[in-house]
């Protein structure tokens, strides 16, 4: 007996020891600061170098460089951000920013300067160049040019000042206030010799790495010039243009030849918007002008330049010349003080007229964002020396793909500017001929983007729940999908607006076939025979196949090309990677498992791919592979500390019914250490569809939403349910769906029915605010930026876009489907403020008082109604914050208060002082 007890004791001690060894820390807020993400990831064109900035949520970033021949970390760069790899992949450059401490404690931010750090791939040595404004690495890696972010020495400044005393200031041609010049340092990276070019405004090294074009600008404008400098030991300078006030704003070198395009202006006209810029071409030792087709058009300061990859086309922007500026009268003498016209010119006024196409906030937003410096797209064909105007004042937009030789998709929303305010976004669409600028109409008054064939002869669009094919040669329209037993209309669309299709994968290069998405599969339609071929068989396995597009400028697919596909199981939620061979329509999976796989980059000139794999417990580190994906190798390990924390259990899918009996799913993440039979506190976080996050690693940040591991590591379960809505009754339908979803957790014996909390922001903030007027199921709610009164919000304004909010209710997210005066009862029915007296759940409302999406007084309305009804309501007003919290102190503060709130109401912990007493307004 004693022997048995002794053995039992030994086993117990061993078990306890093992448990102690397996014990992990609960995640704390300070731990979140340390989690890193890879930002501005760069893969060299030859596939040999990977670089990015490993950026913690709070702290100083570290630049990292990996050699992919052995997956070794070649270099780490303190505070390295925004990496650049030159084409030859022999250098990686990082912008080294000041320390976080310096940023937070320095009052005069202008004194903070960036450095440039170069990493030599051959030997991993680092070179630092201080006070760098901007830089360019030569493609071959032999040269570096950077502007020195440093004011002139006092001695030089004094000399300039003395000279200025003897100069007639009336002859000065001053640069624009924001146009700053700096000395340009040119470094020979082979022997480290340097050459300085003073007062440089713009510069660029050519593709051959042997010439440097610079625009030099001086305070008085007298010595301004444009020069071409030879990059060799002599640094021979050839002045191309020597003219007082001259300045180059944009430079674009040809991708292979020594041809430079640049826009040339002159500060002699101090009106930036009305200053004429010329488009110049430097070729064969000569300057030539490229002019717009319309003589009354010109080029502005902000016009963009870009070459096609093959160098055959130069794309530039232009616009009609502006009318003369109307000068406002100013007070100049005694009489002017009493002159009506002069007095009224000092007014501040916006006139809102019923015939305006746009309401004034939208008009103002569009003016500042787009129309003030509006340009239109044109192209210069290098071989034919011809210019074609691709967009204009009647059709202002064109989807530019510089690799498209034949046709581009153009659009105009001008006829529908007024309708946007209540009906959503519509446009007329056109096929634009790249050679001539000729356009052919595709479809008018259309809410979705059509797909245009590479040759511009055909277009497809979705209408009447079917995919339509239009032959732009004869305008014949044919329905492609009518006879096919597949779902091409988005069956998750529950808005009071036109049902969209699932979209398009693209076209074959010869425009003979268009690849169209159904709910599950990819279909090929022959434009001549109209024959349909299903290329995948996703429906049988509930898998949704979609093409992975790594090159955004790819025009079309080759007939025998093998495409990468994402393969998402709509029932089990894992996303795998497959390949589709267009030669024989065979499909094969290459990355499989109960995870989420994402292919993120391909080397431009090598068989090298970067991908990530992730789960709730596995951070999406980088892996590399060739196109076979047979021997994938892991590269990074950015967050090894995940293993040190009690992260939470493996997510599970929970099935339940929607308000109308539809089968829905939610993701349940039980807390770390959960034992079967435990009934635990649950925080429900939601918006619309959430179950697709089953295999997502959680965002390690603090903001307007719960940090999932913070909760699952500290005794909570997190539940992410899918929500569906009934048009006209979004509040009640989402409430019933949420009740069904949450009740399933109670029925499973997982959720403690007295310890369930609800958190949502924006649209989910509205839903959570409404739900507690209908049910007492939830014991605490945190509602961020909720609309509480649809009758007042209906005619409010989204400050960021300047749009009236009416479209949201009539055709958009709020899903009422009628105007306020057509159905006032629906607006009242769905507004929680009218039922504040029915609320029995404590609620914490959060708003930024500069919310640019939802008027923040919507939160005030609900708080005041709840207060008047004697309910437990607390309102957090974050000063100067938009729709989502941006300031780090506020993100941390709200995250802590959210946890304190749930800890009190769901766990019974003592309430924080602010919860019981509030916080007095005190301003010292």
């Amino acid at each position: 007996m004693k022997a048995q007890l002794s053995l039992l004791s030994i086993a117990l001690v061993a078990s306890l020891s093992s448990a102690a060894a397996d014990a992990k820390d609960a995640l704390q807020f300070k731990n979140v600061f340390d989690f890193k993400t890879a930002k501005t990831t760069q893969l060299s064109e030859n596939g040999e170098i990977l670089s990015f900035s490993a950026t913690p949520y709070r702290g100083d970033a570290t630049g990292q460089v990996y050699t992919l021949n052995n997956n070794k970390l070649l270099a780490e760069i303190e505070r390295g951000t925004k990496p650049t790899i030159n084409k030859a992949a022999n250098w990686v450059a990082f912008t080294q920013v000041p320390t976080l401490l310096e940023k937070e404690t320095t009052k005069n931010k202008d004194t903070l300067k960036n450095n440039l750090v170069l990493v030599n791939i051959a030997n991993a040595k680092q070179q630092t160049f201080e006070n760098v404004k901007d830089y360019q690495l030569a493609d071959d890696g032999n040269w570096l040019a950077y502007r020195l972010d440093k004011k002139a020495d006092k001695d030089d400044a004094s000399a300039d000042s003395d000279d200025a005393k003897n100069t007639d200031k009336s002859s000065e041609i001053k640069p624009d206030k924001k146009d700053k010049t700096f000395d340009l340092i040119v470094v020979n990276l082979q022997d480290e010799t340097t050459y300085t070019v003073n007062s440089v405004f713009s510069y660029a090294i050519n593709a051959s790495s042997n010439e440097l074009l610079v625009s030099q600008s001086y305070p008085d404008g007298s010595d301004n010039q444009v020069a071409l400098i030879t990059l060799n030991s002599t640094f021979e300078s050839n002045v191309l243009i020597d003219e007082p006030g001259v300045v180059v704003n944009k430079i674009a070198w040809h991708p292979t030849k020594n041809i430079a395009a640049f826009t040339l202006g002159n500060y002699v006209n101090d009106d930036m918007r009305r200053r004429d810029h010329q488009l110049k071409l430097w070729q064969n030792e000569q300057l030539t002008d490229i002019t717009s087709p319309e003589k009354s058009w010109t080029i502005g300061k902000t016009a963009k330049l870009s070459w096609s990859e093959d160098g055959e086309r130069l794309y530039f922007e232009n616009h009609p010349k502006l009318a003369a500026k109307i000068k406002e009268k100013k007070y100049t003498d005694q009489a002017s003080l009493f002159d009506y016209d002069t007095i009224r010119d000092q007014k501040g006024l916006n006139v809102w007229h019923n015939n305006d196409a746009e309401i004034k906030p939208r008009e103002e937003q569009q003016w500042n964002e787009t129309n003030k410096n509006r340009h239109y797209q044109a192209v210069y064909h290098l071989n034919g020396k011809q210019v074609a105007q691709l967009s204009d004042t009647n059709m202002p937009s064109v989807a530019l793909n510089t690799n498209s030789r034949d046709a581009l998709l153009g659009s105009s929303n001008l006829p529908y500017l007024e309708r946007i305010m209540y009906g959503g976004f519509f446009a007329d669409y056109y096929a634009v001929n790249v050679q001539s600028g000729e356009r052919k109409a595709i479809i008018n008054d259309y809410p979705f983007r059509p797909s245009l064939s590479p040759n511009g002869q055909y277009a497809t669009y979705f209408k009447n729940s079917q995919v339509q094919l239009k032959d732009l040669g004869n305008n014949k329209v044919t329905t492609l999908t009518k006879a096919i037993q597949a779902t091409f209309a988005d069956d998750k669309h529950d808005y009071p607006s036109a049902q969209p299709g699932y979209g398009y994968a693209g076209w074959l290069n010869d425009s003979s076939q268009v690849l169209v998405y159904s709910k599950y599969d990819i279909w090929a339609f022959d434009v001549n025979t109209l024959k349909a071929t299903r290329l995948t068989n996703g429906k049988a396995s509930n898998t949704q196949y979609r093409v992975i597009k790594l090159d955004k400028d790819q025009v079309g697919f080759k007939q025998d090309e093998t495409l990468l596909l994402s393969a998402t199981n709509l029932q089990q939620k894992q996303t795998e990677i497959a390949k589709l061979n267009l030669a024989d329509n065979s499909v094969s999976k290459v990355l499989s498992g109960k995870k989420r796989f994402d292919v993120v980059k391909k080397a431009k000139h090598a068989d090298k791919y970067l991908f990530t794999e992730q789960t709730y417990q596995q951070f999406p580190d980088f892996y590399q592979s060739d196109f076979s994906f047979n021997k994938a190798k892991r590269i990074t390990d950015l967050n090894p500390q995940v293993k040190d924390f009690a992260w939470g259990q493996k997510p599970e899918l929970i099935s339940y019914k929607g308000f109308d009996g539809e089968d829905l799913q939610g993701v349940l993440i039980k807390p770390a250490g959960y034992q079967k039979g435990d009934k635990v506190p649950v925080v429900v976080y939601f918006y619309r569809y959430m179950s697709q996050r089953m295999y997502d690693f959680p965002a390690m940040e603090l903001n307007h939403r719960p940090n999932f591991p913070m909760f699952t590591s500290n005794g909570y379960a997190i539940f992410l349910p899918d929500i569906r809505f009934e048009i006209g009754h979004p509040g009640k339908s989402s409430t019933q769906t949420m009740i069904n979803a949450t009740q399933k957790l109670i029925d499973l014996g997982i959720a403690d029915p007295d310890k369930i909390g609800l958190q949502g922001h924006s649209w989910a903030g509205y839903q959570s605010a409404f739900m507690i007027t209908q049910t007492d199921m939830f014991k605490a709610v945190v509602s961020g930026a909720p609309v509480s009164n649809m009758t007042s919000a209906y005619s409010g304004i989204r400050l960021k876009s300047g749009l009236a909010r009416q479209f949201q209710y009539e055709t958009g997210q709020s899903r009422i489907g009628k105007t306020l005066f057509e159905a006032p009862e629906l607006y009242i029915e769905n507004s929680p403020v009218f039922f504040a007296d029915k609320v029995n759940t404590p609620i914490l409302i959060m708003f930024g008082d500069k919310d640019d999406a939802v008027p923040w007084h919507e939160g005030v309305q609900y708080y005041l109604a709840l207060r008047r009804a004697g309910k437990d309501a607390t309102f957090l007003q974050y000063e100067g914050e938009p729709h989502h919290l941006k300031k780090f102190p506020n993100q941390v503060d709200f995250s802590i208060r959210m946890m304190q709130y749930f800890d009190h109401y769901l766990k019974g912990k003592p309430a924080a002082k602010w919860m019981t007493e509030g916080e007095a307004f005190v301003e010292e």
Side-chain angles (χ1 to χ4, degrees), residues 551-698:
D551 181 1
K552 62 182 179 61
D553 292 326
Q554 183 175 2
V555 176
F557 307 123
K558 300 174 185 176
Q559 289 186 333
D560 60 350
E561 189 169 344
T562 298
L563 307 180
L564 282 177
L565 310 178
S566 65
T568 302
N569 188 294
L570 299 184
Q571 183 66 30
Q572 302 302 322
K573 310 303 180 183
Q574 71 264 28
T575 296
E576 300 170 323
I577 305 300
K579 292 196 290 190
L580 167 63
N581 187 336
L582 293 179
D584 58 11
N585 297 337
S586 60
V587 176
S588 58
K589 286 189 179 180
V590 293
L591 293 174
S592 299
K594 292 188 177 299
K595 295 182 178 184
R596 171 181 159 180
F597 293 91
D598 293 281
V599 181
V600 294
K601 282 187 180 296
K602 180 198 178 296
K604 187 171 184 178
H605 300 305
D607 183 18
K608 183 65 62 69
Y609 292 80
L610 284 184
F611 70 90
T612 61
E613 58 179 67
Q614 62 182 295
T615 67
Y616 181 72
Q617 291 95 349
Q618 180 183 348
F619 178 81
D621 278 295
F622 289 122
Y623 293 74
Q624 67 152 309
S625 173
D626 59 18
F627 193 60
S628 72
F629 290 92
N630 288 332
K631 297 179 180 179
K633 297 177 182 178
R634 181 171 175 169
I635 306 168
T636 63
D637 188 11
L638 282 183
N639 292 294
Q641 71 271 33
V642 171
K643 66 181 183 302
D644 298 331
F645 297 104
W647 202 251
Q649 299 213 339
K650 187 178 179 180
E652 305 171 34
L653 285 170
I654 304 297
S655 298
Y656 54 92
K657 298 292 185 180
F659 74 93
D660 58 355
E662 179 184 3
D663 290 326
L664 295 175
Q665 293 175 300
V667 177
L668 174 66
I669 312 167
K670 296 173 184 173
Y674 179 85
Q675 299 294 322
K676 188 175 182 179
D678 289 349
K679 293 185 178 181
V680 296
V682 178
V683 171
V684 182
Y685 174 74
F686 69 110
Y687 192 85
R688 190 186 177 212
Y689 287 101
M690 302 293 285
S691 59
Q692 71 275 10
R693 300 189 182 193
M694 172 73 174
Y695 291 102
D696 287 4
F697 185 82

Side-chain angles (χ1 to χ4, degrees), residues 152 155-165:
D155 291 343
D156 295 337
S158 299
D160 291 342
S161 179
D162 291 338
D163 291 339
K165 292 177 183 177

Side-chain angles (χ1 to χ4, degrees), residues 799 846-854 856 875-891:
L799 296 179
M846 184 275 283
F847 251 106
D849 61 13
K850 298 297 181 184
D851 194 309
D852 47 14
V854 179
W856 80 280
F875 186 81
L876 302 180
Q877 172 197 347
Y878 284 98
E879 296 176 335
E881 288 282 22
H883 191 54
H884 299 116
L885 297 177
K886 299 297 183 185
K887 300 174 184 176
F888 182 76
N890 293 338
Q891 294 173 332

